[in-house]
Amino acid sequence: LTYHWESSKLVALWQPEWRFPAYPMRPVPGIQIHEKSPHNANTQFGVKWDYSGEGFDGSLNYFKGISKTPDIGLSLEPSLLPNMINLDLAYHEMQMMGGDFAFNANNTAFRGEIAYTQNEDKKGDNPFIQNPQLFVVVGADRTIIENLNINMQFLYKHIYHFTEYQDPQLQALIDIENRISQQQFEND
């Protein structure tokens, strides 16, 4: 659904279905990987207000739905231990609010984006669900001479309720999960 007026438009989207994203993971001996279906997958929606005109472009947006990036959780099956570990790829509900801008001043283009993401673990006390986070990108670029452009960007990411786990067993499990999700099994 799109509504246009003057230099603005409002876009709304409702997505009544969920499909698992392609998340390739190499099989690892002793580890079974299961994808868990999300709850309330038929209630995904988003809205975006977009403005373009008078030397300024910008937008504000909101999304409530299912994260396409899975959280990795451990489910222990006592009958399979110690020979098999079950890892669950869980897709949780999330909300994202953000915006962006772009404008030119004195032959320099300025751009920026901001996004706040809040997941099911609002307090950050579950190590197997992503914590809320804020991500900001601000930059400028300028053409010095034909075919030579200088671009600078500043990135900032803040993870709310970040905890560095001191439990060696939990840290080892998180390390294993990261290696599996990032496909980092060996040096070469």
Side-chain angles (χ1 to χ4, degrees), residues 18 28 40 48 61 64 89 96 100 135 166 172 179:
W18 164 258
V28 178
N40 300 322
K48 179 178 181 177
N61 53 65
K64 182 178 193 260
L89 298 184
M96 192 283 304
D100 63 74
F135 192 71
Q166 302 301 320
R179 286 179 186 220

Side-chain angles (χ1 to χ4, degrees), residues 79-162:
S79 64
L80 299 176
L81 291 174
N83 300 322
M84 184 65 67
I85 295 174
N86 290 325
L87 290 181
D88 296 324
L89 298 184
Y91 298 87
H92 292 102
E93 286 187 33
M94 52 95 70
Q95 295 181 66
M96 192 283 304
M97 293 146 274
D100 63 74
F101 70 90
F103 66 92
N104 292 322
N106 297 326
N107 296 324
T108 302
F110 296 92
R111 306 178 203 310
E113 296 180 22
I114 186 169
Y116 172 75
T117 305
Q118 180 174 290
N119 298 302
E120 288 181 26
D121 187 20
K122 294 175 180 72
K123 295 181 181 178
D125 53 7
N126 185 336
F128 301 109
I129 297 178
Q130 298 172 47
N131 290 9
Q133 65 181 352
L134 175 71
F135 192 71
V136 179
V137 179
V138 178
D141 60 81
R142 182 179 184 127
T143 300
I144 304 300
I145 57 174
E146 187 176 345
N147 299 324
L148 178 60
N149 183 287
I150 294 178
N151 183 305
M152 293 186 349
Q153 290 188 340
F154 300 94
L155 308 171
Y156 174 74
K157 183 176 185 177
H158 179 76
I159 299 176
Y160 294 89
H161 315 294
F162 178 80

